[in-house]
Amino acid sequence: MSKIDNNNAPWHCLKRASTPRKATVLAIGKAFPRQLIPQEYLVEGYIRDTKCQDVSIKEKLERLCKTTTVKTRYTVMCKEILDQYPELATEGSSTIRQRLEIANPAVVEMAFEASLACIKEWGRPATDITHIIYVSSSEIRLPGGDLYLASELGLRNDVSRVMLYFLGCYGGATGLRVAKDIAENNPGSRILLTTSETTILGFRPPNKARPYDLVGAALFGDGAAAVIIGTDPVTGKESPFMELSYAVQQFLPGTQSVIDGCLTEEGINFKLGRDLPQKIEDNIEEFCRKLMSKASLTDFNEMFWAVHPGGPAILNRLESTLKLNKGKLECSRKALKDFGNVSSNTIFYVMEYMREELKREGGEEWGLALAFGPGITFEGILLRSL
């Protein structure tokens, strides 16, 4: 039998009151391309599509696919694209024009679908959106996807637009921090934050001189996400589920080369240092405590955790370093399993799973959202569940 309060509402329907003038998450949505790839089929498809004859590369990719813990991913890349652009699978081809012909419209299409889902959940007209923040590391053009997206959604032509380009995996958390600042400094504003990513810019044949290409092939996926942020939710019209209490960005001096991305005529080349998990492990506790101190929190295990799953090694190191109880990173592991690492989007997939988790009886009030990326840059947000 459900617990009933004095207003005869079941306990699982009760909500904490939001803090006046604090930014809240009012709705969330996501979208993916049509092509779904189960991990067990990825190796054969990738080796076939790139015409790779090297057995050792195939064996290495098979090992990587097992260690990533990913089970399914979505991708824009498909047979029709490779039939139209066979040069994408040819080593050394100058293909940046072709990649952008595919990526630019693809990311906006996914962003549009995710935004529509988010606005539908929000329940208010799109014309009530006052600001739009567009995050992507997958398109390059002027004007940017923010303008195309605003036009397709039918937003007002005086909507204030912000583009956040090429931030990588921490881009979604940066978007939340920027949206929080805008919301709290513009009473009554409603910010649509949209992230959209595709791996088209980095797709290429495997090469032993670029070992990280195989990591990318085994780990990354495509998709989009959207959230609406605002303060002082309208009673009866909006349903906030999370409050953005405090946000911090920090970079680690001297680590610029640990995650290195370079745009070339052949697309984006990435290099990932083996010491990335260790760098995060060495600095994460102090960073988390800086955030927690704003609410006088001291116990890691009395909080919920929405961590960007850059890969299983990062989650394992964080869990071990902070001595987190088993299950604390379950939403991050589930997002990684279901979608792979979708760069800036993934933190929102984690948060959506976390929303359902926090509806259970006794769900924690306070938590942390964390994301890591080039720099090495840490983004952290102290969250309060509503």
Side-chain angles (χ1 to χ4, degrees), residues 150-167:
S151 298
E152 290 186 24
L153 289 172
L155 304 187
R156 302 194 317 249
N157 69 350
D158 63 349
V159 67
S160 296
R161 310 186 329 265
V162 176
M163 288 195 304
L164 298 174
Y165 269 13
F166 286 95
L167 301 183

Side-chain angles (χ1 to χ4, degrees), residues 321-341:
T321 300
L322 302 182
K323 298 180 174 60
L324 297 180
N325 293 338
K326 184 176 175 60
K328 282 291 180 181
L329 299 182
E330 183 57 31
C331 291
S332 296
R333 297 189 193 281
K334 182 171 173 54
L336 183 64
K337 175 173 73 75
D338 293 344
F339 310 114
N341 182 342

Side-chain angles (χ1 to χ4, degrees), residues 353-369:
Y353 283 143
M354 183 60 66
R355 175 170 63 173
E356 297 307 310
E357 183 74 13
L358 290 170
K359 288 179 181 178
R360 74 188 191 282
E361 187 174 9
E364 299 92 340
E365 180 175 3
W366 293 94
L368 290 183

Side-chain angles (χ1 to χ4, degrees), residues 61-177:
L61 183 57
E62 287 173 340
R63 291 194 300 271
L64 286 169
C65 282
K66 291 176 181 177
T67 60
T68 60
T69 71
V70 176
K71 297 298 182 185
T72 52
R73 278 179 293 165
Y74 294 84
T75 177
V76 170
M77 179 61 78
C78 59
K79 182 178 184 299
E80 289 75 17
I81 287 176
L82 282 174
D83 286 346
Q84 185 177 355
Y85 299 98
E87 60 270 32
L88 297 179
T90 304
E91 180 69 36
S93 296
S94 178
T95 52
I96 189 63
R97 175 185 58 81
Q98 294 92 321
R99 293 173 190 276
L100 293 176
E101 284 178 1
I102 304 163
N104 288 345
V107 290
V108 169
E109 180 182 347
M110 292 188 292
F112 175 72
E113 292 177 3
S115 298
L116 282 184
C118 185
I119 292 168
K120 181 180 180 180
E121 181 181 291
W122 180 41
R124 291 179 58 180
T127 49
D128 285 355
I129 292 169
T130 59
H131 298 71
I132 183 170
I133 300 172
Y134 182 84
V135 181
S136 183
S137 297
S138 306
E139 69 152 65
I140 309 169
R141 57 177 160 179
L142 296 172
D146 61 320
L147 182 63
Y148 291 98
L149 180 60
S151 298
E152 290 186 24
L153 289 172
L155 304 187
R156 302 194 317 249
N157 69 350
D158 63 349
V159 67
S160 296
R161 310 186 329 265
V162 176
M163 288 195 304
L164 298 174
Y165 269 13
F166 286 95
L167 301 183
C169 290
Y170 68 86
T174 301
L176 281 172
R177 177 170 53 81

Side-chain angles (χ1 to χ4, degrees), residues 16 28 30 241-242 303-308 324 327-335 339 346-360 363-370 383-386:
R16 299 182 179 96
I28 194 165
K30 62 181 183 292
F241 65 90
M242 208 165 276
M303 305 170 65
F304 62 88
W305 293 79
V307 180
H308 168 76
L324 297 180
K328 282 291 180 181
L329 299 182
E330 183 57 31
C331 291
S332 296
R333 297 189 193 281
K334 182 171 173 54
F339 310 114
T346 325
I347 191 67
F348 299 111
Y349 306 153
V350 177
M351 288 175 66
E352 186 175 42
Y353 283 143
M354 183 60 66
R355 175 170 63 173
E356 297 307 310
E357 183 74 13
L358 290 170
K359 288 179 181 178
R360 74 188 191 282
E364 299 92 340
E365 180 175 3
W366 293 94
L368 290 183
L370 301 173
L383 301 172
R384 179 169 169 257
S385 171
L386 301 179

